[in-house]
Amino acid sequence: MNSQDAILPIAIPLAGAGVAMLLRGWPKAQRLWTFGILMASLAMCANLLNHVFSSGKPLVFQLGGWAAPFGISIVVDALSAIMIVMVQFVMLMGCIYALDAKDIAKRYSVFMPLFLTLTVGLTGVMLTGDTFNLFVFMELIVISAAALTAMSDDRSGTEAAFKYFYISQLATIFLLLANGLIYMSYGTLNMADLAIRIKTDALAGGPMPPMFTLAMVCFFATFMIKCAAFPFHFWQPDFHAAAPTAVSAMLSSVVVKSGVYGFIRMTTLLFEPFAPQLQQVLMLIGAIGVIYGGFSAFGTHHAKRMFAYSTLAQIGFMLMGIGWGGTLGIAAAIVFMVNHALIKSAMLMLSGYLASKAQIKSASFENIKGLGKYLPQSGVLFFIGSMALAGLPPLNGFVSKMMVFRAGIEAEQWAWLAAIGLASLLTLIYTMRAFQWVWFVPPAAGVKAKKDGDSLFAPTMLILACVVLGIWGESLVSIAMQASEWVQQPAAYIAAVNPAK
Amino acid sequence: MDIIISFAIAVLFATGIYQLLRRNVVRSALGLVIISNAINLFLLAIGAYDGTVQSYAKAIGVRSDALPLALILTAIVISMGGFAFTFAMLYIVMRRYKTADIDAITELKN
């Protein structure tokens, strides 16, 4: 495999988006083209994953042939490879859901091209080895996601999109500031090069450059907003409830992962000497997120809002995993990220499916209460999904929660463990409450399911993936452990990107 | 020159943050524009911008570094698209609520 292949997961959807824009007069051709492009790019990602694990070293492509500290590097290491396969698989499922959805969004000719640029942004964030390039891809995610949300059926879609765009624009502006500060301190923006310089400086024991701490804080705050961690979560539930179903499923499952990925890179590569301090903060915001998210989800009256708050809690588990650190902690975070992406996108698609079957298109519990009587298949899927979300065996949620708890036991953090253990019970309560409201309460007079609605194919596939990863979780856990061992040794990453040093 | 630039950055940042916290949504979006310009000016200031010798050449003299200029150009282009989008959305939102007061735009909350 050539090193150029590393850029294909970015280049294929980007070129595809351009062609899809040209196909705007032929909606059917455009949808098929988008589907084909996502398939091709997923195949490429799987190929890269296979290559990286079999060759045992990261695949690096230097854009334009400029060697590492000067040019932009695209780095596929084990962590990035797992992440891009996750992103592109979930995006493909979202595209399949959108193909058969009855949303207004589908009538806009830019819907599919924006879906592809969202994929480009997410993949780019996971693959890039340059902090300024990270900023560019973050901005691409933000603008595509906001435009996709604005196409909602909901009247307040534009308002939600504005709210999201405003907050995220602020976050990316501060990422730009962080880039400026880091360039001022070390004169480089290449992650591998930065890691070497920061480590040498920290080992020398002298004072760090004056702007260094501010840069670290800016990076940290940006990633917190991106993954909607506790104090910066306020925009997320509004935004997710108003977006079209195919989009909200993507936002709550893969877009928030860009922030979690950023935290893994921060604590294991960029700011490795300062990891203990960062991990303390991550543990704190993670634990608050788990508890606060659980209680907030309990207090909602809208299915999509409930799952948006539940994302806050689940992100908290991932941050706890990163906060505990070590091989097991990071591996737990990786497994949790993959499993959560599958479960959460399936659950949001099921909520959207219910909304599309209801008389008024809304997923509020008032509106969908008792509707389940007419829709038994989706009830089975919802039940399996909520079991997975709550972390009951034999589903994939159990594997991921088990790994987080094992990481906690290994780190001997008993107080934190007790807190999040109790809070994770809340998941079971609120998902079961929703299940009961929709499938067990007899429908009110006049409540009937509409004949036409969205298709159940994509959520079925995702739930199937959840079951498969629950029963044969071994494969995912073992590659996550390997990936975690890789990121524990940043020297290999640095040597692959920057062989001169 | 250094003093003037750092003073300008400080004033722009302060104005931006003040506008950002206003209740009027248009003013608060303008605050975002001002902050982004303050950061662009900061990026200009971190590069050696008044030198005559390229930073990669092995020559003696006042160095100049072109990289922050490239960063600024990229940031300007991206933020221009972003702000056009922001104000377009703001136009739609304000036409619906017929007000620019952030406290009146509350339909999403429940």
Side-chain angles (χ1 to χ4, degrees):
Chain A
M1 196 175 237
N2 292 326
S3 66
Q4 282 95 321
D5 292 350
I7 202 170
L8 282 181
I10 301 173
I12 294 175
L14 192 58
V19 177
M21 210 54 232
L22 295 176
L23 289 174
R24 67 186 178 279
W26 299 274
K28 214 163 225 174
Q30 193 192 36
R31 282 175 215 146
L32 281 177
W33 167 258
T34 309
F35 176 71
I37 284 292
L38 280 171
M39 285 286 266
S41 127
L42 176 63
M44 196 58 230
C45 291
N47 194 2
L48 275 175
L49 179 74
N50 182 24
H51 172 80
V52 166
F53 274 100
S54 56
S55 74
K57 63 179 188 355
L59 187 66
V60 181
F61 178 53
Q62 314 284 7
L63 280 180
W66 293 87
F70 306 111
I72 294 171
S73 322
I74 298 290
V75 191
V76 194
D77 73 339
L79 173 64
S80 311
I82 296 175
M83 289 295 109
I84 58 173
V85 171
M86 172 194 88
V87 164
Q88 303 236 347
F89 178 73
V90 176
M91 289 304 286
L92 179 67
M93 288 299 145
C95 175
I96 292 175
Y97 189 89
L99 286 180
D100 217 8
K102 303 286 180 289
D103 288 329
I104 292 176
K106 231 176 85 175
R107 283 183 227 150
Y108 290 87
S109 57
V110 288
F111 182 80
M112 287 297 172
L114 280 172
F115 217 73
L116 286 173
T117 50
L118 182 60
T119 316
V120 175
L122 283 164
T123 317
V125 165
M126 313 291 184
L127 288 185
T128 184
D130 181 282
T131 53
F132 189 74
N133 208 13
L134 184 77
F135 158 75
V136 174
F137 282 123
M138 283 280 190
E139 196 77 8
L140 187 59
I141 295 179
V142 170
I143 204 157
S144 326
L148 284 170
T149 307
M151 293 174 200
S152 168
D153 294 26
D154 201 323
R155 281 178 76 227
S156 42
T158 322
E159 192 187 325
F162 174 70
K163 202 170 179 180
Y164 169 66
F165 194 71
Y166 184 81
I167 300 292
S168 297
Q169 182 83 348
L170 196 61
T172 36
I173 283 179
F174 277 92
L175 188 57
L176 182 63
L177 179 62
N179 273 312
L181 294 166
I182 210 89
Y183 187 76
M184 184 181 172
S185 309
Y186 289 103
T188 178
L189 291 170
N190 185 290
M191 287 189 197
D193 201 25
L194 268 175
I196 304 172
R197 290 178 194 230
I198 292 174
K199 193 155 195 185
T200 342
D201 230 17
L203 287 181
M208 299 300 283
M211 290 298 181
F212 174 75
T213 317
L214 187 57
M216 199 157 70
V217 170
C218 280
F219 270 114
F220 199 88
T222 310
F223 290 139
M224 266 170 87
I225 295 180
K226 289 290 157 198
C227 72
F230 163 65
F232 300 137
H233 65 279
F234 50 87
W235 52 270
Q236 191 218 24
D238 291 351
F239 173 50
H240 288 192
T245 305
V247 180
S248 72
M250 299 305 105
L251 294 170
S252 199
S253 57
V254 285
V255 173
V256 290
K257 300 291 154 51
S258 61
V260 183
Y261 170 83
F263 279 131
I264 297 186
R265 280 278 179 250
M266 259 182 94
T267 53
T268 59
L269 179 71
L270 265 180
F271 302 111
E272 199 213 345
F274 301 92
Q277 288 94 316
L278 295 176
Q279 282 169 335
Q280 287 289 331
V281 186
L282 281 176
M283 264 192 268
L284 184 67
I285 60 173
I288 296 175
V290 170
I291 297 164
Y292 181 84
F295 277 109
S296 307
F298 197 62
T300 52
H301 297 282
H302 190 288
K304 282 191 183 175
R305 271 185 101 82
M306 184 182 87
F307 288 121
Y309 275 117
S310 141
T311 299
L312 173 58
Q314 308 273 320
I315 292 285
F317 280 108
M318 292 164 217
L319 297 185
M320 294 299 275
I322 302 171
W324 284 328
T327 312
L328 200 56
I330 302 281
I334 296 170
V335 172
F336 213 114
M337 277 158 91
V338 175
N339 286 340
H340 172 255
L342 299 174
I343 304 169
K344 193 49 65 68
S345 49
M347 294 311 268
L348 277 161
M349 282 175 189
L350 285 171
S351 319
Y353 170 77
L354 287 173
S356 77
K357 285 280 186 189
Q359 295 299 331
I360 310 165
K361 194 161 190 172
S362 157
S364 75
F365 287 127
E366 286 288 293
N367 195 29
I368 56 176
K369 212 177 239 184
L371 202 63
K373 191 172 168 241
Y374 309 102
L375 310 163
Q377 317 92 312
S378 60
V380 176
L381 295 177
F382 195 94
F383 184 75
I384 301 175
S386 41
M387 289 289 122
L389 195 62
L392 294 182
L395 295 154
N396 62 350
F398 174 71
V399 180
S400 41
K401 258 186 196 166
M402 201 61 212
M403 284 192 75
V404 172
F405 285 119
R406 262 187 59 198
I409 291 167
E410 197 160 87
E412 298 183 340
Q413 306 278 357
W414 307 112
W416 294 115
L417 268 178
I420 66 167
L422 283 175
S424 76
L425 283 181
L426 285 170
T427 321
L428 196 60
I429 300 172
Y430 64 73
T431 51
M432 278 302 108
R433 192 190 56 155
F435 180 68
Q436 204 180 358
W437 272 350
V438 179
W439 278 275
F440 275 88
V441 173
V447 171
K448 265 218 134 99
K450 277 201 291 192
K451 274 241 157 52
D452 58 335
D454 298 353
S455 150
L456 267 182
F457 180 72
T460 313
M461 293 293 286
L462 283 163
I463 293 284
L464 210 62
C466 291
V467 176
V468 168
L469 280 182
I471 297 173
W472 291 281
E474 178 65 39
S475 50
L476 177 62
V477 173
S478 76
I479 62 168
M481 288 299 273
Q482 275 185 50
S484 174
E485 270 158 28
W486 284 37
V487 296
Q488 297 293 317
Q489 273 129 23
Y493 180 98
I494 292 166
V497 178
N498 204 349
K501 300 255 168 149
Chain B
M1 190 66 190
D2 288 353
I3 304 279
I4 298 171
I5 288 220
S6 43
F7 194 69
I9 296 170
V11 169
L12 276 178
F13 243 108
T15 322
I17 297 278
Y18 176 70
Q19 295 293 346
L20 200 72
L21 299 173
R22 301 284 284 255
R23 273 177 60 177
N24 187 318
V25 270
V26 180
R27 282 173 198 270
S28 114
L30 282 173
L32 212 57
V33 179
I34 296 173
I35 291 187
S36 115
N37 281 316
I39 291 175
N40 285 341
L41 200 56
F42 170 73
L43 286 179
L44 181 69
I46 61 173
Y49 49 87
D50 53 358
T52 48
V53 184
Q54 299 93 326
S55 57
Y56 50 83
K58 281 195 181 127
I60 305 161
V62 184
R63 293 296 170 92
S64 116
D65 187 353
L67 191 100
L69 301 182
L71 301 189
I72 296 169
L73 269 181
T74 318
I76 287 176
V77 172
I78 292 177
S79 59
M80 188 209 72
F83 291 132
F85 188 49
T86 309
F87 285 106
M89 282 194 290
L90 209 52
Y91 174 70
I92 296 174
V93 171
M94 277 167 56
R95 208 174 49 173
R96 233 188 85 202
Y97 285 92
K98 300 205 170 46
T99 173
D101 187 349
I102 196 81
D103 286 351
I105 303 176
T106 52
E107 201 174 275
L108 267 175
K109 275 188 189 159
N110 29 59

